[in-house]
Amino acid sequence: MAANASDVAMQPAQPALFQFYNWFVGVHGYASVVVCIFGVFTNIFNITILTRRDMRTPTNILLTWLAVSDILTMAPYIPFAIHFYCPPADAQGNPDKFTYNWIMYMLFLINITATTHTISNWLGVSLAVFRFVQMRSTSRGPLAKERRIRQVKGITLAVNVLSSVVLIPNYLTNEIQWQALDNNTIVYGIKDLNLATNQTKTIVLFNVINYAVTAKLVPCLLMIVFSGSLVYTLSVKNRERRRRLSASGKKSKKDSRQATTTRMLLVVIILFLITEFPQGILILLSATMPGFYANVYTLLGDLMDFIALLNNAINFVLYCIMSQQFRARFLEMYLRRAVLHKPLEESGTTSERLCLKEPPTKTTLAD
């Protein structure tokens, strides 16, 4: 969460970075509200479509809970952005906005977004790991599919519980403090952690580093490892598929669908890496490098918040671009065009139809 404008204005900074902060803080609130409203509605679309009976797959369960996490990130941010950023407020010029109740809400938002980002990052790891294992597995059929669904539900529960438990010390780090202005008006704010100074408490340093490592850097590194493995496995499978097609002269629709699904998940994971990995590095530098928090991190805080919100909102667009079946289900459920009331099998060729749907075996659908 970015610092308030009044706090940043008192701190030395690189002129170009400070100028960027002064410009972006003016547009951050309005842009964030638009992105959040769009993201909340589109993630509701994601949930309603991905939980349809005919879309029930292990991968879609993970994507559904990712959408839930994104909603829990964006929905609380809307009133925060409107109150503090539309237009931008500071404690000196707008003391009425820095009441105890609103700072309590800010503290709640800091904790809930830390939790939801941690959950989303580890769900991203789960997507990469699960897809990698799935592509190398030879198990097919309804029993294998149900077993994978049970495994995914257990993984999702573990990610939600463990992410909340690991961050309990982090919840206790931030505190509310009050300040009396020149006119004796009392304003409230989040207590400065004094990162990378002689005043930094050991528990604070531990909690910040723990958050940077466990919530950002480690999951991002795991996503890099398994994404690379996915790319390698996909390239191997593509070579094998081309050899089979060359030998038989037939088209392999199943392999093509699997490749489409894997590519889509890779794009989701890459967006995670672009958003979260730089944040993890900046948080780590803030905890260890004197002056970095005041001169760099606080000035980039609004931009990092906005990029994270944009990543939360963009999955719906990605699914629509890459999945013909997702597009068809969305149009059928929400636009109700008569031409789209035909069964899915009549709405396009089989080779166009998969992204989120699991590839079929000869007799049933499986992972």
Side-chain angles (χ1 to χ4, degrees):
M1 196 69 63
N4 297 322
S6 58
D7 299 328
V8 175
M10 300 298 294
Q11 298 166 351
Q14 297 297 326
L17 192 56
F18 189 66
Q19 289 174 10
F20 171 79
Y21 169 82
N22 280 333
W23 170 79
F24 191 75
V25 75
V27 301
H28 169 73
Y30 304 101
S32 296
V33 169
V34 172
V35 168
C36 286
I37 292 175
F38 173 80
V40 168
F41 279 103
T42 55
N43 275 288
I44 290 173
F45 294 153
N46 291 343
I47 292 170
T48 56
I49 294 170
L50 295 175
T51 54
R52 282 178 62 106
R53 187 175 184 84
D54 62 324
M55 300 286 283
R56 182 175 175 266
T57 69
T59 298
N60 288 358
I61 290 173
L62 287 171
L63 294 176
T64 298
W65 282 102
L66 183 60
V68 172
S69 180
D70 289 343
I71 290 174
L72 293 177
T73 300
M74 291 182 289
Y77 202 89
I78 296 172
F80 168 81
I82 292 173
H83 183 79
F84 287 105
Y85 285 94
C86 297
D90 62 82
Q92 292 288 341
N94 310 92
D96 56 307
K97 292 200 170 187
F98 290 80
T99 63
Y100 180 81
N101 288 337
W102 272 107
I103 300 304
M104 275 291 295
Y105 185 81
M106 181 188 292
L107 184 59
F108 160 78
L109 184 63
I110 291 172
N111 291 332
I112 191 67
T113 52
T115 306
T116 53
H117 279 303
T118 303
I119 291 171
S120 294
N121 289 342
W122 283 103
L123 287 176
V125 174
S126 303
L127 277 169
V129 173
F130 189 84
R131 191 62 185 172
F132 173 72
V133 173
Q134 183 180 2
M135 287 189 67
R136 297 177 67 90
S137 175
T138 58
S139 299
R140 293 291 184 268
L143 293 180
K145 178 181 177 181
E146 289 303 320
R147 183 177 67 253
R148 293 190 180 104
I149 287 176
R150 289 195 299 270
Q151 291 172 346
V152 163
K153 288 180 178 179
I155 290 170
T156 303
L157 178 62
V159 165
N160 281 272
V161 172
L162 292 177
S163 296
S164 302
V165 170
V166 167
L167 291 180
I168 287 177
N170 197 65
Y171 303 150
L172 304 176
T173 297
N174 294 302
E175 301 176 16
I176 295 177
Q177 66 177 7
W178 62 272
Q179 176 186 356
L181 302 180
D182 294 338
N183 59 0
N184 293 325
T185 301
I186 302 297
V187 295
Y188 295 86
I190 304 297
K191 187 176 181 179
D192 189 353
L193 298 179
N194 297 311
L195 293 176
T197 67
N198 293 330
Q199 298 175 310
T200 307
K201 295 180 180 179
T202 303
I203 185 65
V204 169
L205 180 62
F206 170 79
N207 288 338
V208 173
I209 293 177
N210 174 62
Y211 177 66
V213 172
T214 61
K216 304 288 185 181
L217 297 180
V218 170
C220 285
L221 290 173
L222 289 174
M223 279 188 268
I224 290 172
V225 170
F226 283 97
S227 295
S229 301
L230 270 176
V231 171
Y232 175 76
T233 303
L234 185 61
S235 65
V236 170
K237 284 184 172 291
N238 282 340
R239 286 198 299 269
E240 293 175 350
R241 181 169 64 91
R242 284 194 294 269
R243 280 200 302 269
R244 291 198 305 268
L245 294 179
S246 177
S248 64
K250 297 179 181 179
K251 295 183 178 180
S252 177
K253 298 172 184 177
K254 174 182 174 181
D255 289 341
S256 177
R257 289 193 296 265
Q258 287 179 325
T260 302
T261 303
T262 302
R263 291 191 192 99
M264 188 201 67
L265 295 180
L266 283 171
V267 174
V268 172
I269 292 167
I270 289 170
L271 291 175
F272 270 119
L273 294 175
I274 293 173
T275 303
E276 301 294 338
F277 197 65
Q279 286 191 23
I281 294 174
L282 291 176
I283 293 172
L284 199 60
L285 291 175
S286 297
T288 57
M289 185 179 294
F292 187 88
Y293 180 79
N295 295 324
V296 179
Y297 186 85
T298 55
L299 301 178
L300 292 176
D302 288 337
L303 177 62
M304 289 188 294
D305 284 351
F306 180 74
I307 292 174
L309 294 172
L310 198 59
N311 183 44
N312 296 148
I314 204 171
N315 283 343
F316 172 80
V317 178
L318 174 63
Y319 301 160
C320 285
I321 291 173
M322 300 191 70
S323 172
Q324 193 276 340
Q325 186 188 36
F326 186 91
R327 290 195 304 271
R329 288 302 183 214
F330 171 70
L331 295 173
E332 178 186 335
M333 291 174 64
Y334 291 101
L335 298 187
R336 299 295 182 185
R337 293 180 179 176
V339 68
L340 293 172
H341 284 180
K342 297 184 296 181
L344 187 61
E345 288 74 14
E346 299 175 16
S347 64
T349 62
T350 306
S351 59
E352 295 176 330
R353 273 203 312 269
L354 177 99
C355 182
L356 304 178
K357 189 72 172 177
E358 304 298 334
T361 62
K362 292 181 179 179
T363 59
T364 185
L365 293 174
D367 295 308

